[in-house]
Amino acid sequence: MKYAVIDIGSNTVRLCIYELKKDKLTLVLNRRVMALLGSKVVDGALSREGITAACDALLSLKKFIKESKVQKTFVFATAALRNISNTEEAVAEIQEKTGLIIDVLSGEDEANLTFAGVAREQDIYDGVIADIGGGSTELILVKEGRPVQTVSLPIGSLVAFVRFVGKRPATKEQIMAIRQYVRDLIQKSFMQKQSAEVLFGIGGAARTAYELEKILYPASGGAMNTLETLLDRLLGDEALAEASILQASPERLDTALPGVAILCEVAAFFGCKHLDVCRAGVREGYINKQLGLVGKEGA
């Protein structure tokens, strides 16, 4: 049987279709629409343009669900619909126009489901998981294979660009302002200094950071000190930054450097030495929970 999950995020609205066989899910289709909902918030509320963009994205993805003969579809939203002042009204209108029921996750639920998704795919004994989305960043501190603290920070790569940059190219002062803001949020959340050797990165920001590192420092292998050097180098060379981002992830021209800045600040706080990019995350955790697979053998 096939099941679909749609993730309404601040950057993208993504559809993943999985086939379930013997309690194991296999990804068979992955589609996304760059709706950029995080940039369509006015005075704290999702604008008319944003609601229309969300509806258009969902309706365009529904055709893939119909063609794939899916047994059931699950839809959830994270910061894109959680961190707005008109959540109830926006969700009601989107549901009415698309015929889809939307589950708006709390920051805590998002972080817990992210850990569940990652843990099902790979062993994590010690480290910090950072899921950097467009509108929020979920941090999960893991010790001896168990999450000991989960935190949702109200900033992601798109929100950081809109709030601190506004127009390319980002300046060093703007990136430092992002980092200071992230540092203050983390320090308030983790009152006691924590350490983690490995930073497990989830989402487009982490993938783009890793790709940029491979382009400019191919022998680094995910070393965080190289990412710090890379960020500084790109901020000092606009042409190099644009060419590198176009090669790594062209749709992230605006958000790549803010995303790398958030990643680097998380690593600096926890003293991480290495970046490990994870393929699984909140979508996998969510659908496994909905299908009752969390906690079964292999989870």
Side-chain angles (χ1 to χ4, degrees), residues 11 132-137 153-161 178 258-259 262:
N11 270 321
I132 304 172
S136 67
T137 296
L153 307 180
I155 187 169
S157 57
L158 182 57
V159 167
F161 176 81
I178 292 172
I262 295 171

Side-chain angles (χ1 to χ4, degrees), residues 44-57:
L46 186 63
S47 65
R48 173 56 44 193
E49 180 189 4
I51 291 173
T52 299
C55 292
D56 289 346

Side-chain angles (χ1 to χ4, degrees), residues 190-195 268-271:
F190 294 87
M191 302 301 292
Q192 184 176 353
K193 183 68 175 176
Q194 302 283 353
S195 63
F269 179 84
F270 291 98

Side-chain angles (χ1 to χ4, degrees), residues 120-149:
R120 189 172 175 90
E121 296 296 324
Q122 66 189 91
D123 292 330
I124 297 181
Y125 190 73
D126 281 291
V128 61
I129 300 170
D131 185 356
I132 304 172
S136 67
T137 296
E138 275 57 55
L139 300 179
I140 304 104
L141 182 64
V142 182
K143 296 291 184 184
E144 298 181 352
R146 299 178 64 85
V148 296
Q149 188 172 356

